[in-house]
Amino acid sequence: MARKYTPPQFSRPGAEQVKQYIDVQCSAVSRSEAEDAPIDHRFHVALKLNNNVEYQIEVDNPVSKADLARLMGRAISRKGDIVFGRDQRAYRWNGARWESAHELCKKWDSAWANVFLTPAAEEATQQGTLYNAIYSNCSAFCETVAELKPFGDAPGIPVQDGVLVPDDEGNFSIAPADSANGNLHALRCTADEALNTELDPDGLLHWFLYSSLEDDQRYVTQQWLGAHLLQHIPGIDASNLEKVVIYIGPGGNGKSEVGRLIKALVSEEACASKSLDDLDEQTLEELDGKVAMIGNELEGKVGLKYLKMIASKDDLSVNPKYRQPYTFTPVCLPTQTANTLQAMIENSDAISQRLIVVPMMRRFRGTDDQVSNIAKKIEAAEFPALVAWAVKGAQILIRNGCKIDVPDSIKQKSAEVAHEGQQIDAFAEEFLEFGNFMVSRKELTNVYREWCDETGRKRKNWMNFVKDIQDYARRKGLRTVREKPKASPNEYYEVGPDKTRIQQRPPLLVGCRIAEGTANKNPFGIELDRDSTDYISEPGEGRQGGFDDPDFETAESA
């Protein structure tokens, strides 16, 4: 005997938070006009957003509530405007961008669980039924948002009514928005506003740009904001944008507001609030899929490894807590602020070439000109003007081959900061004296170790340390520096400021010593006699017990 069909039971709770997300109706429908004709139980299920029906199905005689959820998930997947990203969360296309739908789907699922009558024992299993049905169907029938990039693979700059597509001359055309672009963000203005809005001479944005930044600083800043809008575009040579921009100057000068303007431009969700001195394998994950990396009050102890990898867009390996390690390629542009940049960068030409330092010296804090939260006020009142100003910066970049045009004043300041940050340069200029001297390895490394600990720098091993000193001497046209190994007991050496004589000479570095007036005031090391076999003759001086240095070249002769 066939079992009588029992339709899924449901109720209509009066809570408004349920009604605004789901609507379920059930009606009895006869299959024919015959008096004994079978009756179908037709369910009408609608999912709503802001009380507007977004998805709906009609199904006769569903087997169970889970069956209804499965059919609802299929209807959603076939519409194609909800997909799941690689983070296994839902995203919904709103006509301009993919916005997070995770919370919306959770609310639908919660409303679903509240509509259907379930015993208390089944309530836990009922929760999640609809969400899982949506996920499984979308995973089976839809393409996922593979990368979850802020601007995706859009051929231009996404705005609310399309995409601004640049040509080789920096002119923009308007293309329709396309969900295939995969962009999670779109600028909150129209194409016309982005292209045609001018700075208001009486507006806050104009006042900030022209009072806080000089002409060269403003010119670089405009290009840097434009770079954030271009780097994702296929065909753009982003290798020319592998830069680190640091705004330096005393507190209260508005440098942090520049970072906040970048956040306002590309959206806070597209930015990672991270300083270069606050990165490790766990926090690196916060850079994944971000357009900008904004850090305030950089204190100086920066990991060169991560700085180079972020600037060069190398793959980063992250090790998040309680999850499997994975690798991603950063696309964010680092913008940092600092009062000073002591010991910021170790000796690295690669970093020097990528560093742009923008000094901001005018101080507003405590003056009549101070405007609190100026970036937020600009975002609220003049956002289209900010976008238009950044778009003009993008045009400058495109017309310059996507290379940032850095004025000489900024180049000079960047070189000075990079030089100050080079480890061996800073140590040598503070402690070393070059010439016909020699110093023991132990004396030199003790002073070097104390200096690294005091300045927060990472110590190098002896081989690399000596190589850096030799490179420094060569760059400066100073005496050749070379190592001399440990000697037999018949050679002595005077150690330390008190000149304690030891009979067996230790390993030495010939060509320099710890200068007088630095470490413990007295010099470390000894001065060579002219008849010493290690004495280096001046060019043209001839041999007098020592040897001529064929590689030696003074700064004057160079």
Side-chain angles (χ1 to χ4, degrees):
M1 180 176 178
R3 185 177 179 183
K4 184 179 179 181
Y5 173 75
T6 302
Q9 299 298 304
F10 68 96
S11 66
R12 293 297 310 276
E16 290 298 322
Q17 61 267 31
V18 173
K19 285 186 176 181
Q20 64 180 330
Y21 290 111
I22 192 168
D23 185 23
V24 180
Q25 302 282 348
C26 181
S27 58
V29 180
S30 177
R31 295 184 185 179
S32 71
E33 296 181 357
E35 185 175 341
D36 58 347
I39 300 296
D40 282 336
H41 293 79
R42 177 164 296 172
F43 279 76
H44 306 263
V45 184
L47 297 183
K48 299 190 289 186
L49 175 62
N50 298 326
N51 288 317
N52 295 318
V53 175
E54 296 289 323
Y55 309 95
Q56 60 183 346
I57 61 167
E58 291 183 357
V59 59
D60 293 340
N61 301 330
V63 175
S64 63
K65 289 160 281 193
D67 188 39
L68 275 176
R70 179 181 60 81
L71 294 171
M72 195 76 244
R74 179 176 296 181
I76 291 173
S77 67
R78 287 179 174 176
K79 190 172 180 181
D81 61 348
I82 284 186
V83 296
F84 279 74
R86 63 176 179 176
D87 59 354
Q88 298 183 3
R89 291 195 168 195
Y91 291 85
R92 182 173 182 270
W93 179 251
N94 68 3
R97 66 184 183 94
W98 288 100
E99 61 183 1
S100 176
H102 178 67
E103 293 300 323
L104 174 63
C105 289
K106 285 177 61 178
K107 288 176 180 177
W108 281 341
D109 184 79
S110 178
W112 183 277
N114 277 279
V115 164
F116 288 98
L117 292 175
T118 56
E122 298 180 9
E123 188 168 350
T125 58
Q126 185 71 28
Q127 195 82 299
T129 300
L130 180 60
Y131 196 107
N132 292 335
I134 296 173
Y135 175 70
S136 60
N137 278 276
C138 287
S139 299
F141 298 107
C142 303
E143 295 182 2
T144 59
V145 180
E147 294 296 331
L148 298 182
K149 298 176 182 177
F151 295 131
D153 296 317
I157 306 169
V159 292
Q160 292 301 305
D161 56 349
V163 180
L164 300 178
V165 182
D167 60 19
D168 294 339
E169 301 299 323
N171 301 311
F172 287 92
S173 58
I174 305 174
D178 189 344
S179 61
N181 292 335
N183 57 295
L184 294 181
H185 299 286
L187 303 185
R188 292 178 289 102
C189 65
T190 65
D192 181 67
E193 290 173 328
L195 295 176
N196 299 315
T197 304
E198 298 291 338
L199 286 181
D200 180 1
D202 298 323
L204 277 178
L205 178 58
H206 185 279
W207 180 86
F208 176 75
L209 294 174
Y210 283 82
S211 62
S212 300
L213 301 167
E214 297 177 358
D215 291 347
D216 288 349
Q217 300 160 5
R218 188 168 55 253
Y219 181 56
V220 168
T221 300
Q222 186 174 26
Q223 295 177 76
W224 188 237
L225 264 66
H228 288 78
L229 304 180
L230 291 181
Q231 62 165 335
H232 68 280
I233 300 177
I236 292 290
D237 186 2
S239 63
N240 293 324
L241 303 178
E242 294 175 356
K243 303 292 184 182
V244 179
V245 175
I246 301 178
Y247 290 85
I248 65 170
N253 63 2
K255 57 185 182 291
S256 296
E257 298 299 326
V258 176
R260 295 187 181 105
L261 286 178
I262 295 175
K263 283 185 180 181
L265 176 67
V266 300
S267 82
E268 189 165 355
E269 293 81 6
C271 296
S273 296
K274 241 10 178 187
S275 293
L276 289 170
D277 52 4
D278 191 31
L279 293 175
D280 55 40
E281 286 189 351
Q282 293 180 349
T283 58
L284 282 173
E285 184 182 18
E286 297 178 32
L287 307 182
D288 191 4
K290 304 297 185 182
V291 169
M293 172 183 166
I294 311 294
N296 292 328
E297 305 308 325
L298 184 64
E299 295 180 356
K301 191 175 180 181
V302 175
L304 178 65
K305 170 185 174 182
Y306 294 132
L307 177 60
K308 292 170 67 175
M309 294 175 76
I310 293 169
S312 304
K313 307 296 185 288
D314 294 335
D315 288 345
L316 292 177
S317 297
V318 299
N319 188 17
K321 284 186 177 181
Y322 314 119
R323 286 179 289 134
Q324 292 295 320
Y326 71 97
T327 301
F328 73 95
T329 302
V331 296
C332 56
L333 299 179
T335 304
Q336 305 285 292
T337 67
N339 293 337
T340 60
L341 287 178
Q342 296 176 355
M344 194 201 78
I345 305 170
E346 298 179 7
N347 187 16
S348 172
D349 291 338
I351 290 301
S352 301
Q353 295 169 2
R354 292 181 171 89
L355 186 64
I356 299 177
V357 177
V358 181
M360 295 179 65
M361 307 312 295
R362 183 177 176 184
R363 189 181 180 93
F364 294 95
R365 183 179 298 161
T367 70
D368 294 339
D369 291 332
Q370 180 180 356
V371 179
S372 300
N373 298 319
I374 190 170
K376 288 186 177 180
K377 293 176 181 178
I378 290 172
E379 180 183 7
E382 301 179 70
F383 184 76
L386 174 64
V387 173
W389 193 72
V391 168
K392 288 182 173 63
Q395 290 177 314
I396 296 172
L397 283 174
I398 294 172
R399 292 164 184 169
N400 196 40
C402 286
K403 297 178 182 178
I404 297 178
D405 182 17
V406 182
D408 291 339
S409 64
I410 303 296
K411 286 181 181 178
Q412 181 179 353
K413 184 64 179 178
S414 302
E416 290 173 0
V417 170
H419 168 72
E420 291 171 2
Q422 289 182 336
Q423 187 185 96
I424 192 58
D425 289 42
F427 178 79
E429 290 171 9
E430 183 174 352
F431 289 101
L432 297 185
E433 180 181 3
F434 291 83
N436 276 308
F437 309 109
M438 59 184 179
V439 64
S440 73
R441 171 176 173 172
K442 183 176 181 180
E443 291 174 313
L444 186 58
T445 53
N446 283 344
V447 174
Y448 172 63
R449 184 183 298 110
E450 290 179 3
W451 177 76
C452 287
D453 292 343
E454 290 175 359
T455 59
R457 298 176 189 256
K458 182 179 179 181
R459 294 196 298 267
K460 298 189 176 185
N461 61 38
W462 173 253
M463 182 175 65
N464 289 330
F465 179 53
V466 171
K467 180 179 179 297
D468 286 346
I469 292 177
Q470 292 171 332
D471 290 342
Y472 173 83
R474 189 176 299 111
R475 283 189 284 114
K476 299 295 184 181
L478 301 170
R479 299 281 186 181
T480 296
V481 176
R482 61 189 178 87
E483 290 186 86
K484 190 169 184 177
K486 182 177 180 180
S488 59
N490 61 348
E491 294 189 54
Y492 68 88
Y493 178 75
E494 295 175 338
V495 178
D498 56 353
K499 303 299 182 185
T500 301
R501 178 172 292 191
I502 58 175
Q503 191 63 31
Q504 186 172 3
R505 192 195 70 221
L508 300 171
L509 199 64
V510 179
C512 67
R513 69 175 177 181
I514 303 297
E516 184 175 0
T518 55
N520 294 328
K521 297 186 178 180
N522 295 312
F524 282 70
I526 61 175
E527 187 170 359
L528 299 173
D529 296 330
R530 289 177 62 85
D531 59 353
S532 168
T533 57
D534 295 305
Y535 185 86
I536 302 175
S537 302
E538 295 285 351
E541 182 180 359
R543 194 178 187 85
Q544 296 186 22
F547 63 90
D548 292 319
D549 181 5
D551 297 325
F552 175 68
E553 185 177 47
T554 63
E556 290 79 6
S557 62

